Amino acid sequence: MSKQSDIDQIRVDILTQNICPELAEQATNLVIGDGNVNAEIVFVGEAPGKSEDEQGLPFVGAAGKFLNEMLETSNMQRQDVYITNIVKYRPPNNRDPFPEEKEVFWPFLLRQLEIIQPKIVATLGRHSMEYFLPNAKISEIHGQPKRINLGSQTVVIVPLFHPAAALYNGSMRETLMNDFAKIPNILKRANEYDAVLKIMTE
Ligand code: URA
């Protein structure tokens, strides 16, 4: 099976298992994720907003435009990375997702990461960060890479502020842009670490 068909199966499973029926009922689309299933970097946001719900794609509204800008200025292409959310349906009126909604979708996010096997997971906002780095405070650790074990893989988490929160907040915006610009170097170091680890275990 290809990686893409494995990801497609996640969509089928969420629908057939009737995950989060209260959100599903109000949503137009299930928003699984978008981008390169062979990506070295996966971005994980919170939940789809209005535009995302309408189009069935993550980060296509105002926050998505800002994300695209930051990708471009950091010499990354949107088609080279993979973008998803912890919660796959839009919460009504863009309210924060409830803990039980995040919890029920978490195993599906883990499956996505098992399939893609990224080097870096960049969390956008605290809702996705708290699952990878429990008890961490985003204001204290934003932009600082943390290597963690995740199922069968080790992955570097880069906690970032959420682009929607930073969009209209001058200082947070600058902080997010600075943190974002560190990603290519963090990736380079992650690749070097993996290369050394490979030599040591061969
Ligand atoms: N905000 C998110 O967290 N995710 C999206 O897909 C869009 C906005």
Side-chain angles (χ1 to χ4, degrees), residues 6-19 30 32 89 108 111:
D6 286 348
I7 297 267
D8 293 344
Q9 186 59 43
I10 296 178
R11 168 185 294 282
V12 172
D13 290 350
I14 290 173
L15 291 171
T16 53
Q17 291 170 32
N18 198 19
I19 300 296
L30 171 62
I32 286 289
Y89 288 117
F108 295 98
R111 259 174 76 185

mmCIF file of all heavy atoms in Angstrom, residues 6-19 30 32 89 108 111:
data_model
loop_
_atom_site.group_PDB
_atom_site.id
_atom_site.type_symbol
_atom_site.label_atom_id
_atom_site.label_comp_id
_atom_site.label_asym_id
_atom_site.label_seq_id
_atom_site.Cartn_x
_atom_site.Cartn_y
_atom_site.Cartn_z
ATOM 1 N N ASP A 6 -2.647 4.800 2.572
ATOM 2 C CA ASP A 6 -2.744 4.618 4.031
ATOM 3 C C ASP A 6 -3.395 5.842 4.685
ATOM 4 O O ASP A 6 -4.203 5.719 5.610
ATOM 5 C CB ASP A 6 -1.354 4.410 4.652
ATOM 6 C CG ASP A 6 -0.807 3.018 4.357
ATOM 7 O OD1 ASP A 6 -1.578 2.168 3.877
ATOM 8 O OD2 ASP A 6 0.392 2.794 4.590
ATOM 9 N N ILE A 7 -3.019 7.032 4.195
ATOM 10 C CA ILE A 7 -3.637 8.265 4.726
ATOM 11 C C ILE A 7 -5.122 8.296 4.346
ATOM 12 O O ILE A 7 -5.974 8.664 5.158
ATOM 13 C CB ILE A 7 -2.919 9.526 4.175
ATOM 14 C CG1 ILE A 7 -1.458 9.565 4.626
ATOM 15 C CG2 ILE A 7 -3.671 10.811 4.540
ATOM 16 C CD1 ILE A 7 -1.152 10.331 5.888
ATOM 17 N N ASP A 8 -5.411 7.898 3.118
ATOM 18 C CA ASP A 8 -6.816 7.881 2.675
ATOM 19 C C ASP A 8 -7.652 6.955 3.561
ATOM 20 O O ASP A 8 -8.830 7.208 3.814
ATOM 21 C CB ASP A 8 -6.920 7.443 1.212
ATOM 22 C CG ASP A 8 -6.311 8.465 0.260
ATOM 23 O OD1 ASP A 8 -6.089 9.620 0.688
ATOM 24 O OD2 ASP A 8 -6.018 8.108 -0.900
ATOM 25 N N GLN A 9 -7.020 5.885 4.017
ATOM 26 C CA GLN A 9 -7.731 4.922 4.876
ATOM 27 C C GLN A 9 -8.131 5.571 6.211
ATOM 28 O O GLN A 9 -9.170 5.242 6.778
ATOM 29 C CB GLN A 9 -6.853 3.684 5.101
ATOM 30 C CG GLN A 9 -7.546 2.552 5.853
ATOM 31 C CD GLN A 9 -8.800 2.035 5.149
ATOM 32 O OE1 GLN A 9 -8.799 1.856 3.925
ATOM 33 N NE2 GLN A 9 -9.885 1.831 5.902
ATOM 34 N N ILE A 10 -7.289 6.523 6.674
ATOM 35 C CA ILE A 10 -7.618 7.225 7.921
ATOM 36 C C ILE A 10 -8.937 7.980 7.750
ATOM 37 O O ILE A 10 -9.799 7.970 8.620
ATOM 38 C CB ILE A 10 -6.463 8.175 8.335
ATOM 39 C CG1 ILE A 10 -5.207 7.360 8.656
ATOM 40 C CG2 ILE A 10 -6.875 9.044 9.523
ATOM 41 C CD1 ILE A 10 -3.994 8.199 9.033
ATOM 42 N N ARG A 11 -9.077 8.621 6.600
ATOM 43 C CA ARG A 11 -10.330 9.343 6.319
ATOM 44 C C ARG A 11 -11.516 8.380 6.397
ATOM 45 O O ARG A 11 -12.526 8.655 7.054
ATOM 46 C CB ARG A 11 -10.246 9.975 4.919
ATOM 47 C CG ARG A 11 -11.576 10.489 4.392
ATOM 48 C CD ARG A 11 -11.457 10.990 2.973
ATOM 49 N NE ARG A 11 -10.604 12.159 2.892
ATOM 50 C CZ ARG A 11 -10.973 13.396 3.236
ATOM 51 N NH1 ARG A 11 -12.211 13.619 3.632
ATOM 52 N NH2 ARG A 11 -10.144 14.394 3.162
ATOM 53 N N VAL A 12 -11.363 7.237 5.732
ATOM 54 C CA VAL A 12 -12.442 6.243 5.711
ATOM 55 C C VAL A 12 -12.762 5.794 7.141
ATOM 56 O O VAL A 12 -13.930 5.703 7.533
ATOM 57 C CB VAL A 12 -12.017 5.024 4.832
ATOM 58 C CG1 VAL A 12 -13.035 3.894 4.944
ATOM 59 C CG2 VAL A 12 -11.821 5.455 3.377
ATOM 60 N N ASP A 13 -11.711 5.563 7.940
ATOM 61 C CA ASP A 13 -11.924 5.065 9.300
ATOM 62 C C ASP A 13 -12.643 6.098 10.172
ATOM 63 O O ASP A 13 -13.523 5.747 10.958
ATOM 64 C CB ASP A 13 -10.592 4.665 9.945
ATOM 65 C CG ASP A 13 -10.013 3.414 9.298
ATOM 66 O OD1 ASP A 13 -10.730 2.772 8.499
ATOM 67 O OD2 ASP A 13 -8.843 3.087 9.564
ATOM 68 N N ILE A 14 -12.260 7.370 10.031
ATOM 69 C CA ILE A 14 -12.928 8.415 10.832
ATOM 70 C C ILE A 14 -14.421 8.464 10.480
ATOM 71 O O ILE A 14 -15.286 8.584 11.348
ATOM 72 C CB ILE A 14 -12.248 9.791 10.621
ATOM 73 C CG1 ILE A 14 -10.857 9.796 11.268
ATOM 74 C CG2 ILE A 14 -13.101 10.922 11.199
ATOM 75 C CD1 ILE A 14 -10.020 11.039 10.990
ATOM 76 N N LEU A 15 -14.705 8.322 9.189
ATOM 77 C CA LEU A 15 -16.105 8.383 8.753
ATOM 78 C C LEU A 15 -16.872 7.133 9.185
ATOM 79 O O LEU A 15 -17.963 7.243 9.750
ATOM 80 C CB LEU A 15 -16.177 8.548 7.228
ATOM 81 C CG LEU A 15 -15.698 9.912 6.706
ATOM 82 C CD1 LEU A 15 -15.593 9.910 5.190
ATOM 83 C CD2 LEU A 15 -16.609 11.039 7.178
ATOM 84 N N THR A 16 -16.285 5.958 8.962
ATOM 85 C CA THR A 16 -17.044 4.738 9.260
ATOM 86 C C THR A 16 -17.172 4.507 10.780
ATOM 87 O O THR A 16 -18.139 3.934 11.233
ATOM 88 C CB THR A 16 -16.440 3.488 8.585
ATOM 89 O OG1 THR A 16 -15.063 3.418 8.940
ATOM 90 C CG2 THR A 16 -16.571 3.539 7.078
ATOM 91 N N GLN A 17 -16.186 4.982 11.541
ATOM 92 C CA GLN A 17 -16.288 4.833 13.004
ATOM 93 C C GLN A 17 -17.116 5.953 13.633
ATOM 94 O O GLN A 17 -17.269 6.024 14.843
ATOM 95 C CB GLN A 17 -14.885 4.813 13.636
ATOM 96 C CG GLN A 17 -14.090 3.564 13.297
ATOM 97 C CD GLN A 17 -12.621 3.670 13.734
ATOM 98 O OE1 GLN A 17 -12.301 4.310 14.724
ATOM 99 N NE2 GLN A 17 -11.744 3.044 12.978
ATOM 100 N N ASN A 18 -17.580 6.869 12.779
ATOM 101 C CA ASN A 18 -18.429 7.971 13.248
ATOM 102 C C ASN A 18 -17.784 8.722 14.424
ATOM 103 O O ASN A 18 -18.377 8.899 15.488
ATOM 104 C CB ASN A 18 -19.814 7.433 13.634
ATOM 105 C CG ASN A 18 -20.842 8.540 13.706
ATOM 106 O OD1 ASN A 18 -20.628 9.626 13.141
ATOM 107 N ND2 ASN A 18 -21.937 8.292 14.390
ATOM 108 N N ILE A 19 -16.532 9.151 14.186
ATOM 109 C CA ILE A 19 -15.774 9.856 15.213
ATOM 110 C C ILE A 19 -16.334 11.266 15.393
ATOM 111 O O ILE A 19 -16.549 11.971 14.412
ATOM 112 C CB ILE A 19 -14.270 9.922 14.810
ATOM 113 C CG1 ILE A 19 -13.679 8.526 14.662
ATOM 114 C CG2 ILE A 19 -13.469 10.779 15.789
ATOM 115 C CD1 ILE A 19 -13.642 7.686 15.915
ATOM 116 N N LEU A 30 -14.705 16.888 6.277
ATOM 117 C CA LEU A 30 -13.679 16.328 7.162
ATOM 118 C C LEU A 30 -12.338 16.792 6.585
ATOM 119 O O LEU A 30 -12.078 16.629 5.391
ATOM 120 C CB LEU A 30 -13.792 14.802 7.107
ATOM 121 C CG LEU A 30 -12.701 13.972 7.764
ATOM 122 C CD1 LEU A 30 -12.635 14.252 9.255
ATOM 123 C CD2 LEU A 30 -12.987 12.481 7.536
ATOM 124 N N ILE A 32 -8.640 16.214 6.663
ATOM 125 C CA ILE A 32 -7.621 15.263 7.112
ATOM 126 C C ILE A 32 -6.235 15.899 7.128
ATOM 127 O O ILE A 32 -5.479 15.786 8.088
ATOM 128 C CB ILE A 32 -7.619 14.026 6.178
ATOM 129 C CG1 ILE A 32 -8.837 13.162 6.455
ATOM 130 C CG2 ILE A 32 -6.349 13.206 6.331
ATOM 131 C CD1 ILE A 32 -8.750 12.437 7.789
ATOM 132 N N TYR A 89 -12.437 18.182 12.355
ATOM 133 C CA TYR A 89 -13.673 18.879 11.970
ATOM 134 C C TYR A 89 -13.666 20.269 12.587
ATOM 135 O O TYR A 89 -13.120 20.469 13.672
ATOM 136 C CB TYR A 89 -14.909 18.155 12.525
ATOM 137 C CG TYR A 89 -15.273 16.848 11.863
ATOM 138 C CD1 TYR A 89 -15.254 15.667 12.590
ATOM 139 C CD2 TYR A 89 -15.685 16.801 10.534
ATOM 140 C CE1 TYR A 89 -15.621 14.461 12.011
ATOM 141 C CE2 TYR A 89 -16.054 15.594 9.940
ATOM 142 C CZ TYR A 89 -16.013 14.435 10.682
ATOM 143 O OH TYR A 89 -16.382 13.242 10.107
ATOM 144 N N PHE A 108 -5.531 9.290 15.481
ATOM 145 C CA PHE A 108 -5.508 9.430 14.015
ATOM 146 C C PHE A 108 -4.327 10.294 13.580
ATOM 147 O O PHE A 108 -3.706 10.048 12.545
ATOM 148 C CB PHE A 108 -6.845 10.009 13.520
ATOM 149 C CG PHE A 108 -8.000 9.081 13.759
ATOM 150 C CD1 PHE A 108 -8.832 9.244 14.859
ATOM 151 C CD2 PHE A 108 -8.237 8.005 12.920
ATOM 152 C CE1 PHE A 108 -9.881 8.373 15.110
ATOM 153 C CE2 PHE A 108 -9.283 7.125 13.146
ATOM 154 C CZ PHE A 108 -10.109 7.309 14.251
ATOM 155 N N ARG A 111 -1.347 8.105 13.755
ATOM 156 C CA ARG A 111 -1.283 7.232 12.563
ATOM 157 C C ARG A 111 -0.716 7.990 11.368
ATOM 158 O O ARG A 111 0.092 7.457 10.603
ATOM 159 C CB ARG A 111 -2.689 6.715 12.220
ATOM 160 C CG ARG A 111 -2.917 5.298 12.696
ATOM 161 C CD ARG A 111 -4.349 4.887 12.475
ATOM 162 N NE ARG A 111 -4.678 4.567 11.095
ATOM 163 C CZ ARG A 111 -5.914 4.276 10.685
ATOM 164 N NH1 ARG A 111 -6.911 4.266 11.539
ATOM 165 N NH2 ARG A 111 -6.146 3.981 9.424
#
